[in-house]
Amino acid sequence: MEVRHGVAGIDPHTHTATISLVDQRGEAEEAASFAVTPDGITELLGFLSDRELVIDRIGIEGSSGLGRPLVLSLAAAGYDVREVQPNRTAERRRRRRRAKTDIEDAEAIARETLADLHLPPAGKRSAPDAVWDELTAVHDWRSSLVLQRTRQLNEAEAVLVALPVSIRAELPATSRVLPQLEALETIARQQPEVASATLIHIDRLVDALHDIRRLTRRIKDLDKKVPALLATLGCTLAEICGIGAVTAMELLVEVGDPCRFRTEGQFARWCGAAPLAVSSGEGHGRARRHRLDVGGNRKVNSVLHIVHVTQVRCHEPARAFMSRKIGENMPKRSARRAHKRQLANVIIQCREVKGFRLLSTGDVA
């Protein structure tokens, strides 16, 4: 009997998930929807196992968000689960003028999974980890507090401009908002009679200063928890020059289990550190010109850029690496991309210690 192979695509939502099956020739087989509950996930696994079609890969959209419970269950059942970016299915739908329904989305996800063998693995961890979940909760809370503080500072800057020139002249001559707010808190008590609107502005800015101080204290309290969590996970990222505890937390939360990436190249492509060739007109052979890949994880790419800038400033191996590349007639921008690619290789190196998969250190250059 001939064995037929295919792939599946899952479009998850808050309460339901729709799955579509596509065979290896691209023919849509069938689709079904299931509730995102323990019983519903069990039914979905039974639906997959009862088909005559052998499922080689399963693509899922939003694997780190709405699709996380499905990813954990499918990975535990032994399926090869891949992440499909929403912009890929949206582009396919626009190109083919297809409707926007759960079944259409699931089928588009399945076709993207069939078309691209090199999709990144889905989810950030193949199994639950209490410590990693705690680190993620701290990271998310800290990010929210930082955004709130940034919003308060931006709004305060706009209100400072609305103050009378006589008051603004007494504030520090700096572009930073916080020193001006601290000075205004002292000046406000010494001001003679001012307009009622100005008094409201001053009261608002003083309250904003108190909120900013409160948010800063809470951020610092959360920062104190990070080193202990990193030590429990066995993370050695903070040993790399340019990576502190908060930066290591950012990498761990975004990358998850580094061993879900089979090769260093797959990780570099996932985080956008692998430059794309633009070698049109160069003929056959190795590409000589490249450009930035903007399709990767921008948060990890941003962290790599920060580490690169720090190392070039104060780390001798990184300076030597950049000098060597520039000495090979490589443009500075290309040398920077090459160094970030090397940093990606260092970060994703894995080793097994006490049952944990770690991000390990290594020489940058």
Side-chain angles (χ1 to χ4, degrees), residues 145-157 215:
L145 294 175
V146 170
L147 287 176
Q148 292 179 50
R149 185 176 63 178
T150 302
R151 181 179 62 83
Q152 291 278 8
L153 289 170
N154 290 338
E155 292 182 355
E157 185 175 16
L215 291 170

Side-chain angles (χ1 to χ4, degrees), residues 2-8 20-29 52-57 110-111 113-117:
E2 182 183 358
V3 178
R4 298 173 59 234
H5 292 261
V7 300
S20 178
L21 305 182
V22 174
D23 66 15
Q24 59 187 355
R25 297 176 299 179
E27 293 289 336
E29 291 287 321
E52 295 181 357
L53 202 65
V54 177
I55 303 301
D56 297 327
R57 295 184 306 282
R111 295 189 183 281
T113 307
L114 179 66
D116 191 349
L117 299 176

